[in-house]
Amino acid sequence: SVGTVIKWINSHTAPHTVTSGTPGNVTGIWDSGTISNSNSYSYTFSNSGTFQYFCKIHTSMRATITVN
């Protein structure tokens, strides 16, 4: 739902990012920067919609969040 806070936690030894959009089409809605092991990033969704995101370091890592 709108207003929900999503928190990503990196439990891997490799660093990751959480970046809105897709490789080659970054939307600029959010970008965590590099998240190292045991660190996290949170984002509050203030609009409804379907949002794609990916890791800039490992571009095959992709997902989608749907906010109502």
Side-chain angles (χ1 to χ4, degrees), residues 12-63:
H12 298 149
T13 57
H16 295 286
T17 74
V18 179
T19 305
S20 64
T22 58
N25 187 28
V26 175
T27 61
I29 299 171
W30 75 86
D31 188 348
S32 65
T34 302
I35 306 169
S36 57
N37 178 268
S38 300
N39 287 303
S40 64
Y41 173 75
S42 296
Y43 181 78
T44 303
F45 286 84
S46 56
N47 295 306
S48 61
T50 300
F51 303 91
Q52 295 179 306
Y53 68 95
F54 71 106
C55 175
K56 285 183 178 178
I57 300 167
H58 309 97
T59 56
S60 65
M61 297 179 75
R62 303 175 190 191

Side-chain angles (χ1 to χ4, degrees), residues 1-7 42-47 65-68:
S1 298
V2 170
T4 297
V5 177
I6 301 292
K7 182 177 184 177
S42 296
Y43 181 78
T44 303
F45 286 84
S46 56
N47 295 306
I65 292 178
T66 301
V67 180
N68 296 314

